[in-house]
């Protein structure tokens, strides 16, 4: 692949609201060094998860949130698990791109936005916390 892998894609059962409230997508087994080389986080929906934290309602396998990565840190409550990581961000855009998740067994993979069919210039970004300020 000649394109740079600047995007980490996660397969999550959480809703966009919960991910934004938590300030990132978390409790992932991943290489922090690999994620720190990425600019973008794309969340795709796992609609086949019945865990208590699973509150997502987007179509299965679709991309629903794009965020600019600001850092990687240990997972935090309520999902703090030793050895698991949180991909942090301060701005995000809601997207609706069907059939993005390739069906991998591992819920984290690396690619680029062009391969996913996502164009940043077409999106409206929001800062975390801006909703509360009105």
């Amino acid at each position: 692949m000649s394109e740079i892998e600047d995007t980490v894609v996660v397969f999550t059962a959480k809703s966009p609201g919960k991910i934004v409230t938590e300030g990132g997508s978390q409790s992932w087994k991943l290489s922090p060094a690999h994620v720190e080389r990425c600019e973008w986080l794309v969340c795709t929906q796992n609609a086949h998860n019945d865990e208590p934290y699973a509150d997502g309602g987007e179509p299965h396998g679709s991309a629903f949130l794009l965020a600019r990565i600001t850092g990687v840190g240990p997972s935090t409550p309520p999902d703090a698990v030793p050895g698991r990581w949180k991909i942090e961000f301060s701005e995000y855009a809601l997207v609706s791109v069907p059939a993005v998740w390739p069906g991998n067994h591992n819920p984290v993979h690396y690619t680029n936005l062009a391969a996913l069919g996502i164009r940043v210039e077409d999106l409206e970004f929001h800062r975390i916390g801006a909703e509360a300020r009105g």
Side-chain angles (χ1 to χ4, degrees):
M1 175 197 271
S2 62
E3 296 288 325
I4 295 173
E5 292 183 337
D6 65 352
T7 304
V8 57
V9 182
V10 298
F11 190 51
T12 180
K14 291 185 179 180
S15 68
K18 186 176 280 185
I19 293 167
V20 168
T21 299
E22 292 178 357
S25 183
Q26 67 175 339
S27 216
W28 300 111
K29 287 185 180 181
L30 50 76
S31 164
H34 198 162
V35 173
E36 287 172 350
R37 291 191 301 266
C38 293
E39 182 176 2
W40 303 104
L41 165 67
V42 173
C43 295
T44 60
Q45 190 72 73
N46 177 355
H48 302 156
N49 187 322
D50 59 0
E51 295 293 330
Y53 61 81
D55 68 340
E58 308 304 318
H60 186 73
S62 67
F64 62 87
L65 186 138
L66 171 71
R68 189 179 308 270
I69 296 171
T70 57
V72 181
S75 59
T76 59
D79 297 323
V81 175
R84 299 231 178 180
W85 300 93
K86 178 179 180 177
I87 304 169
E88 302 164 340
F89 60 88
S90 61
E91 66 176 333
Y92 67 95
L94 299 177
V95 298
S96 180
V97 184
V100 166
W101 186 252
N104 298 357
H105 179 70
N106 187 340
V108 177
H109 84 272
Y110 302 90
T111 187
N112 61 70
L113 294 181
L116 300 174
I118 297 174
R119 294 174 29 98
V120 173
E121 53 274 6
D122 294 340
L123 302 174
E124 179 182 346
F125 282 84
H126 308 278
R127 293 201 54 79
I128 290 179
E131 320 65 49
R133 291 192 295 269

